[in-house]
Amino acid sequence: MKVTLVDIQRPDELFSLLDAFGGPVLCCGMDLRRDQRLRELIHGMADPVRGIPRLELTVLDAADASRLLRYMRDGGRAAA
């Protein structure tokens, strides 16, 4: 499932959520759970007001996609 996130205010919380996923989370064909350099580049895109403006992800596991959709529904807050 391809998902586009916009205005990510708490990227560390998002990355924490992605780390808990069972399957790969792809951005530009690379798994964000395993590529620290890509994560740092994405984190560096953050605007002080808007956060990370846009991030397109591909989530392969259905349960992970459901968790990501709940994260989006809850306004970017990962459930504990």
Side-chain angles (χ1 to χ4, degrees):
M1 169 183 245
K2 186 167 274 202
V3 178
T4 301
L5 303 171
V6 294
D7 300 334
I8 303 164
Q9 297 299 314
R10 294 179 296 279
D12 292 330
E13 190 173 319
L14 173 64
F15 290 140
S16 234
L17 175 69
L18 299 180
D19 286 341
F21 282 9
V25 180
L26 304 176
C27 179
C28 302
M30 294 176 275
D31 190 353
L32 272 180
R33 298 172 311 146
R34 307 283 183 253
D35 195 328
Q36 186 62 33
R37 228 173 16 163
L38 180 59
R39 287 169 84 144
E40 290 170 3
L41 287 170
I42 291 169
H43 207 286
M45 293 183 339
D47 178 272
V49 176
R50 290 183 41 213
I52 296 173
R54 180 184 176 110
L55 185 61
E56 292 184 7
L57 304 175
T58 301
V59 181
L60 302 180
D61 184 89
D64 294 339
S66 178
R67 289 177 71 188
L68 187 57
L69 292 173
R70 279 195 303 273
Y71 168 84
M72 293 166 61
R73 178 197 66 201
D74 295 340
R77 291 180 303 279

